Amino acid sequence: MVAANYSPEYLAESRVALVNVFFSIPIPIEVLSTVFRLWVKTRLSPQRRLAFDDYFIVWATITAVAVCIAGLICGVSGGLGRHMEALPTEVIETFLLVDYIFSHFYDFAIASTKLSVLALYYRIFAATKFRILVIATAVCVVIWLIVMEIILGLGCQPVQGWWNAGAAATATCVDKLAFTYSTNIINLIFDMWIFTMPIPIILGLQASMEKKIGLCFLFSMGLGTCAISAARLSVVISVRSKDITWSEASLGILSAWEPCGNILCANLPLVYRPLARGIQQIRSTMKISRPRSHDLGARPSSSYHDWTRLNNSTLSNYATSKVTATRGNSTELVMIGRTGITVERDFKQEVHHE
């Protein structure tokens, strides 16, 4: 079909502005979220050092940003969001080449985020059987990533068949639709499995049901990204469209937001406390009419897990008439040996000197 067969209105239709906006927004969200996590770990954490889960999330953020940049290139110079009939052949080939590169970055972004979450599980949950399960799941994720990369690398012979029209005419390629469907289905299954793994252990903790529900909600927030994966699965059929530059706009946008959602959910368990306390401090400073005397006995604010422990040695230099301790609402997962975890509450200690 040639462009002359279509109306000027049809050929002028464009989703490029929409593509550029929705590929741009995840970039600052991903970067700021991960930078805040690293700041919390290196400045506010008692250990003040990074762990394997932090390195994985840094790599996931880099590749997720690369996904968005590739999408922006598709929108600016590759014709994503335009009808193919309105584009010259060289622009279509640019789109297909960048889309091929986009797929590699997408694979590494979603796999790295899963490995970051699993590394976090391994670090904070000390139960031996659970750790074995975490390692087995991580091995499956790595195998899945390797298989996807092999198919992308060898799925077309020659490899230029993925993007070059001349090479595609004689190339032998895998069924791209079947490959994309299988990739998305396995990805969705992994997400559902990984983000529900800690729930049985959390429900077995010696804690109130309220705290258990809160921890389950915190660690299963990633299930929300399954909705993005499911939505992406519903538009996968666009890879076989004859007007691929137009129909793949929705698929590309969802592919950019999926790793963004995963990164946010992977960072949340480590930043929610300082984030919540920061918001609380901002609110308190806005209450100008609040009497200052109310704050005299308050515990100094902290940006991280600052647990006040009762310790008699700290009181040996003072004569005291009364020591009271009030249980707070904060909890923290703490490793005990190699057999399990405990939930530690914070206390507010008041000492009245004579």
Side-chain angles (χ1 to χ4, degrees):
M1 291 181 284
V2 295
N5 297 332
Y6 297 89
S7 67
E9 293 78 13
Y10 173 82
L11 297 176
E13 288 180 346
S14 176
R15 297 178 178 175
V16 174
L18 182 70
V19 166
N20 291 337
V21 168
F22 280 94
F23 273 111
S24 299
I25 293 175
I27 295 177
I29 295 176
E30 293 160 351
V31 172
L32 292 176
S33 171
T34 299
V35 167
F36 184 46
R37 170 186 176 141
L38 298 180
W39 181 77
V40 168
K41 290 295 296 291
T42 57
R43 297 294 182 180
L44 304 182
S45 169
Q47 292 80 19
R48 295 181 182 272
R49 59 184 177 84
L50 301 181
F52 281 112
D53 51 297
D54 302 305
Y55 296 122
F56 277 124
I57 206 65
V58 168
W59 177 245
T61 302
I62 292 172
T63 51
V65 169
V67 166
C68 295
I69 293 174
L72 289 172
I73 294 173
C74 279
V76 172
S77 60
L80 182 63
R82 297 287 307 279
H83 291 292
M84 285 186 67
E85 294 79 11
L87 302 172
T89 302
E90 58 270 18
V91 172
I92 296 174
E93 290 188 354
T94 299
F95 164 78
L96 294 174
L97 175 59
V98 178
D99 183 60
Y100 176 74
I101 298 171
F102 177 100
S103 299
H104 287 287
F105 286 131
Y106 170 80
D107 291 346
F108 277 100
I110 57 176
S112 300
T113 310
K114 291 173 174 57
L115 292 174
S116 176
V117 174
L118 291 170
L120 176 65
Y121 289 169
Y122 187 88
R123 181 163 62 85
I124 66 175
F125 295 106
T128 302
K129 291 182 178 179
F130 183 77
R131 283 186 163 184
I132 292 173
L133 189 61
V134 167
I135 293 173
T137 304
V139 170
C140 291
V141 171
V142 172
I143 293 174
W144 172 59
L145 174 62
I146 292 173
V147 170
M148 288 193 298
E149 287 302 297
I150 290 175
I151 294 175
L152 281 174
L154 304 177
C156 266
Q157 295 296 320
V159 69
Q160 291 83 357
W162 285 111
W163 65 84
N164 185 274
T170 57
T172 303
C173 297
V174 297
D175 187 329
K176 188 176 181 181
L177 180 62
F179 169 61
T180 309
Y181 263 123
S182 61
T183 298
N184 281 264
I185 291 172
I186 296 173
N187 176 44
L188 181 58
I189 293 172
F190 268 132
D191 281 345
M192 295 177 66
W193 166 247
I194 290 172
F195 287 111
T196 55
M197 282 177 66
I199 292 179
I201 289 186
I202 293 173
L203 293 178
L205 292 175
Q206 297 297 321
S208 67
M209 183 55 64
E210 179 185 356
K211 297 302 178 185
K212 291 179 183 179
I213 293 174
L215 289 171
C216 287
F217 178 76
L218 180 65
F219 280 95
S220 61
M221 281 288 291
L223 291 174
T225 62
C226 292
I228 301 178
S229 300
R232 188 176 185 274
L233 192 61
S234 68
V235 295
V236 164
I237 191 66
S238 63
V239 301
R240 191 171 281 180
S241 171
K242 293 181 179 180
D243 192 7
I244 190 171
T245 53
W246 175 268
S247 59
E248 269 207 4
S250 299
L251 178 62
I253 290 172
L254 291 172
S255 298
W257 279 89
E258 183 181 2
C260 178
N262 283 334
I263 289 171
L264 287 176
C265 293
N267 289 335
L268 185 61
L270 298 170
V271 304
Y272 81 101
R273 283 288 297 281
L275 185 62
R277 286 182 174 178
I279 294 173
Q280 186 177 10
Q281 288 176 2
I282 292 173
R283 288 179 176 176
S284 64
T285 58
M286 295 176 65
K287 297 178 180 178
I288 303 175
S289 60
R290 182 178 178 181
R292 294 180 60 86
S293 60
H294 288 184
D295 295 327
L296 294 177
R299 182 182 62 181
S301 61
S302 172
S303 304
Y304 197 70
H305 299 276
D306 183 17
W307 310 111
T308 304
R309 294 178 174 84
L310 298 177
N311 187 343
N312 291 333
S313 63
T314 61
L315 307 176
S316 58
N317 296 328
Y318 302 95
T320 61
S321 59
K322 184 179 181 182
V323 178
T324 60
T326 306
R327 188 174 67 180
N329 295 322
S330 302
T331 61
E332 181 183 14
L333 295 177
V334 179
M335 191 182 340
I336 48 174
R338 300 185 61 83
T339 58
I341 61 173
T342 185
V343 174
E344 183 174 343
R345 291 182 180 275
D346 63 327
F347 287 81
K348 182 173 75 175
Q349 179 177 296
E350 297 179 1
V351 180
H352 305 273
H353 303 291
E354 292 181 348

